[in-house]
Amino acid sequence: VQLQASGGGLVQAGGSLRLSCTASGSVFDIRDMGWYRQAPGKQRDPVASITSDFATSYADSVKGRFTISRDNAKNTVYLQMNSLKPEDTAIYYCDARVRPSPVDDYDFYWGQGTLVTVSS
């Protein structure tokens, strides 16, 4: 199972970006999918998550600005980020709880990270 994240970049404060993360390889089923971020010198923190039946949760710092969604047919999770602030600057990682085959248990997988830089 591989998770490929994309969509990061440089944006001015107040701007928007949309991150994508697709699971590929041996993927039988995916439960929760989500996004974390890690700013320089800080720990990796959760940003948003979405269940297989589309229930969502958000960190307080991004509520009202970020929207997580998923396309189960494409094994893809998205993070729409609006009204970006310099403090949103971080490497964004996706994760997913994946069942590779009917005989496997679910396990957590991480994407490689995509850098988001917000200039003031």
Side-chain angles (χ1 to χ4, degrees):
V1 177
Q2 298 85 38
L3 296 183
Q4 182 68 44
S6 62
L10 174 64
V11 64
Q12 289 188 333
S16 299
L17 283 175
R18 188 192 194 207
L19 306 183
S20 300
C21 176
T22 299
S24 62
S26 181
V27 178
F28 175 74
D29 186 52
I30 304 176
R31 284 188 175 173
D32 297 354
M33 304 184 82
W35 292 92
Y36 285 68
R37 65 185 181 186
Q38 187 168 19
K42 296 188 177 181
Q43 66 181 20
R44 189 177 298 188
D45 291 323
V47 175
S49 66
I50 185 167
T51 67
S52 55
D53 56 358
F54 306 102
T56 60
S57 63
Y58 296 92
D60 287 343
S61 59
V62 306
K63 283 181 180 177
R65 300 188 298 122
F66 291 10
T67 302
I68 190 170
S69 61
R70 65 189 285 173
D71 185 332
N72 289 337
K74 296 181 179 180
N75 293 336
T76 298
V77 62
Y78 305 97
L79 187 67
Q80 178 66 43
M81 305 185 294
N82 299 329
S83 303
L84 282 161
K85 305 175 181 179
E87 51 263 44
D88 294 317
T89 294
I91 298 175
Y92 283 72
Y93 298 90
C94 59
D95 81 315
R97 192 176 180 194
V98 180
R99 189 178 189 183
S101 76
V103 298
D104 291 314
D105 290 329
Y106 288 90
D107 202 354
F108 286 99
Y109 295 85
W110 288 98
Q112 87 284 7
T114 184
L115 177 63
V116 172
T117 303
V118 184
S119 62
S120 56

